[in-house]
Amino acid sequence: MIKVVLLGTGNVARYLYDSLCKKEHIELIQVVGRNESTLDYFKHSKAAITDFSAIKPADVYILAIKDDAIAQVSETLALQNGLLVHTSGSVAMNVLPNTVRRGVLYPLQTFSNTPPYYAANIPFCIEAEEKKDLDLLEKLALSLSDTVHKISSDQRLHLHLAAVFANNFTNHMYYLANKICEENAIPFSTLESLIKETTHKITTSKPFDVQTGPAKRGDTSIIKKHLELLQHSKHQEIYSLLSESIQDTYGNEL
Amino acid sequence: MIKVVLLGTGNVARYLYDSLCKKEHIELIQVVGRNESTLDYFKHSKAAITDFSAIKPADVYILAIKDDAIAQVSETLALQNGLLVHTSGSVAMNVLPNTVRRGVLYPLQTFSNTPPYYAANIPFCIEAEEKKDLDLLEKLALSLSDTVHKISSDQRLHLHLAAVFANNFTNHMYYLANKICEENAIPFSTLESLIKETTHKITTSKPFDVQTGPAKRGDTSIIKKHLELLQHSKHQEIYSLLSESIQDTYGNEL
């Protein structure tokens, strides 16, 4: 049995709460949040509290709060033994105070108000200073996911950067595609099979090998036509820069 | 029964060939390609020929060739009646000679050497000058797909532009993410559930509503850290420009 205290009430905390509650060999003994209203989600747990000084002894304390609050909040915690971990992709482990055993439990997923659809397959990236803590974290993470990676703070930072390209920037591409569709009375759903095919391809081939389109082909006349269709100068800049970068990647001259 | 002649031997022609051969009420009477070797794929069809002057009478002639060859090749065809259509996203219908009945049959998908995985759901966008030709094309397209849209040349051009963002540019984002992973000894597959979640979200919500990440949050310290990690100035430019564009979209100041 692993005793866990969850600190935080945001989307990541909610996801962890939902997942941890279901596990037989994990005992979620407390959820700690700053104010009553944000604890609503956890109210069927009797141990949802607002008092950060009333934290009970546990094996693992999971700090699932905003990146820029991790250093400060972790300093104020009066923990008796146990392992303190944060859940951030871009904050180094050593931001946590060196007076405690410390580690990282990073679920690599995009979290919104609704539970993630692919919740069952979220990979966990773990890190700890001590071998026994890494083993403990691995046990905890394996109860939540089939995919657990031991990676360093530096690797995690790079992985988070890669995730920004793979999620935040692709979503912005979808936003721009959607905008063009809306402005021309075309249902965005028309692009659905294309989008599915694109993401399917990169799980079976390397993205380098499956690039298509006018920039890859060096088709300057279509690129010129597309630039004329774009109404905002920033969107034109994006089109030009990404086309140039694709050209650079494949060594073609535009 | 719709009699069809297929002109072209590239990826789109192959896909159409594979699909059309299976249909009971379609008779694919000829495949026409410039040289023998490119006709290899169609060799179990007895009617694969290289002579563009030996085209038989048909109901629909599908010109599945490169965009920049459509105008020139279509001028050289000696067609007896029938409807001539091209399959391009970005070429106007009126590029075809006005001496024939003309139209467009545009399958919205990314085609590679391998057949598309989501082949069954590819939407077809159709256009024709005459009502009877549009009806004929609709019948043909509905035999290939459940989703058929009647759209104008101008709409098609915009849709193709949207597809460049939704496919070509997202694939380049995956390439950059993959590059970062490779340089840091992280398996690219770690990002798979994130990528699936992202594409799932935009089929159930608007991309505008599900944007996450440092640019959306206005988290300048992480943006600065990420820019320092990127090793190529063009990739830094992409990161900055896309972050700015996300900020512009949500009205936050960086």
Side-chain angles (χ1 to χ4, degrees):
Chain A
M1 186 69 74
I2 306 173
K3 286 190 181 183
V4 174
V5 169
L6 183 58
L7 304 114
T9 54
N11 294 330
V12 174
R14 288 173 182 212
Y15 156 70
L16 288 171
Y17 176 75
D18 290 341
S19 307
L20 292 168
C21 282
K22 296 175 197 157
K23 307 299 168 190
E24 279 186 7
H25 63 286
I26 290 171
E27 192 186 356
L28 186 61
I29 58 171
Q30 276 181 324
V31 180
V32 193
R34 263 177 300 187
N35 61 59
E36 288 289 350
S37 66
T38 62
L39 282 170
D40 266 4
Y41 189 85
F42 313 88
K43 64 188 168 190
H44 52 285
S45 157
K46 286 179 191 159
I49 60 165
T50 55
D51 185 357
F52 275 75
S53 68
I55 298 171
K56 287 184 184 163
D59 300 306
V60 184
Y61 304 91
I62 305 175
L63 195 56
I65 62 173
K66 282 184 184 164
D67 288 4
D68 53 8
I70 291 171
Q72 198 202 330
V73 170
S74 63
E75 284 290 349
T76 66
L77 299 172
L79 304 180
Q80 299 158 15
N81 222 325
L83 171 65
L84 176 65
V85 300
H86 72 65
T87 58
S88 165
S90 48
V91 173
M93 179 173 66
N94 63 17
V95 158
L96 299 172
N98 62 9
T99 51
V100 296
R101 285 159 49 207
R102 52 194 181 177
V104 178
L105 177 75
Y106 169 48
L108 180 56
Q109 188 50 284
T110 172
F111 292 95
S112 307
N113 288 328
T114 52
Y117 186 77
Y118 290 96
N121 307 312
I122 297 175
F124 276 78
C125 302
I126 59 169
E127 184 180 5
E129 285 177 306
E130 303 292 334
K131 169 83 172 70
K132 67 165 185 178
D133 290 336
L134 201 59
D135 292 345
L136 175 62
L137 269 186
E138 189 176 27
K139 204 173 155 191
L140 180 62
L142 280 173
S143 76
L144 297 167
S145 168
D146 292 338
T147 314
V148 177
H149 296 285
K150 295 171 186 170
I151 64 170
S152 68
S153 285
D154 184 60
Q155 279 180 307
R156 186 162 33 81
L157 189 55
H158 281 92
L159 182 56
H160 183 242
L161 171 61
V164 166
F165 281 96
N167 163 258
N168 303 161
F169 292 166
T170 56
N171 189 73
H172 193 57
M173 296 300 112
Y174 297 140
Y175 162 74
L176 294 173
N178 189 27
K179 193 174 160 64
I180 294 164
C181 285
E182 279 183 354
E183 286 167 355
N184 293 279
I186 301 160
F188 181 55
S189 60
T190 312
L191 294 168
E192 236 173 66
S193 77
L194 175 72
I195 291 169
K196 278 188 186 170
E197 183 76 17
T198 306
T199 52
H200 173 75
K201 271 187 183 177
I202 53 121
T203 59
T204 51
S205 306
K206 285 195 168 204
F208 180 88
D209 296 328
V210 293
Q211 185 69 53
T212 60
K216 170 74 190 305
R217 290 195 304 275
D219 191 333
T220 46
S221 69
I222 292 193
I223 290 173
K224 193 165 164 276
K225 216 188 271 185
H226 281 170
L227 285 170
E228 284 164 9
L229 293 180
L230 287 164
Q231 292 173 3
H232 302 275
S233 63
K234 192 147 267 161
H235 302 163
Q236 287 173 333
E237 272 181 67
I238 290 171
Y239 189 102
S240 292
L241 183 59
L242 294 181
S243 294
E244 274 171 34
S245 182
I246 291 170
Q247 294 280 320
D248 288 353
T249 306
Y250 295 91
N252 304 327
E253 294 282 316
L254 267 185
Chain B
M1 185 69 77
I2 304 174
K3 286 190 180 180
V4 174
V5 169
L6 183 59
L7 303 115
T9 54
N11 295 329
V12 174
R14 288 174 183 211
Y15 155 69
L16 288 171
Y17 176 76
D18 291 341
S19 306
L20 291 169
C21 281
K22 296 173 197 158
K23 307 299 168 188
E24 278 187 8
H25 63 287
I26 289 170
E27 191 186 354
L28 186 62
I29 58 171
Q30 278 181 323
V31 179
V32 193
R34 262 176 302 188
N35 60 59
E36 287 289 351
S37 66
T38 63
L39 281 171
D40 267 5
Y41 189 84
F42 311 88
K43 64 188 170 192
H44 51 286
S45 156
K46 287 177 188 159
I49 59 165
T50 55
D51 184 356
F52 274 74
S53 69
I55 298 171
K56 287 185 186 164
D59 300 306
V60 185
Y61 304 91
I62 305 175
L63 197 55
I65 62 173
K66 281 183 184 162
D67 288 3
D68 53 8
I70 291 172
Q72 199 203 329
V73 170
S74 62
E75 285 290 348
T76 67
L77 299 173
L79 303 181
Q80 299 159 14
N81 221 325
L83 171 66
L84 177 64
V85 300
H86 72 64
T87 59
S88 165
S90 48
V91 173
M93 179 172 66
N94 64 15
V95 157
L96 298 172
N98 62 7
T99 51
V100 295
R101 284 158 51 206
R102 51 195 182 177
V104 178
L105 177 75
Y106 168 49
L108 180 58
Q109 188 50 286
T110 171
F111 293 96
S112 307
N113 287 327
T114 52
Y117 186 75
Y118 290 98
N121 307 311
I122 297 176
F124 276 78
C125 302
I126 58 170
E127 184 181 6
E129 284 177 305
E130 304 291 333
K131 169 85 172 67
K132 67 166 185 178
D133 291 336
L134 201 59
D135 291 346
L136 176 62
L137 269 185
E138 189 175 26
K139 204 173 156 190
L140 180 63
L142 280 172
S143 76
L144 297 166
S145 167
D146 293 337
T147 314
V148 177
H149 296 286
K150 294 170 187 170
I151 66 170
S152 68
S153 283
D154 184 61
Q155 280 181 307
R156 184 161 37 79
L157 189 55
H158 281 93
L159 182 56
H160 183 241
L161 171 62
V164 166
F165 280 96
N167 163 258
N168 302 160
F169 293 166
T170 55
N171 190 74
H172 193 55
M173 296 301 112
Y174 297 139
Y175 162 73
L176 294 172
N178 189 27
K179 194 174 159 65
I180 295 164
C181 285
E182 278 183 356
E183 286 168 357
N184 292 280
I186 301 160
F188 181 55
S189 60
T190 311
L191 293 169
E192 236 173 68
S193 78
L194 175 71
I195 291 169
K196 277 189 188 171
E197 183 76 15
T198 306
T199 53
H200 173 75
K201 270 188 183 176
I202 52 122
T203 58
T204 51
S205 307
K206 284 193 168 206
F208 179 89
D209 296 328
V210 294
Q211 185 69 55
T212 59
K216 169 74 190 304
R217 291 196 304 274
D219 191 334
T220 46
S221 70
I222 292 192
I223 290 173
K224 193 166 164 276
K225 216 188 270 184
H226 281 168
L227 285 171
E228 285 165 8
L229 294 180
L230 287 164
Q231 291 173 3
H232 304 274
S233 63
K234 192 146 267 161
H235 301 164
Q236 287 172 334
E237 273 181 66
I238 290 172
Y239 189 102
S240 292
L241 183 59
L242 294 182
S243 294
E244 274 170 34
S245 182
I246 292 170
Q247 295 280 320
D248 288 352
T249 306
Y250 295 91
N252 303 327
E253 295 281 316
L254 268 184

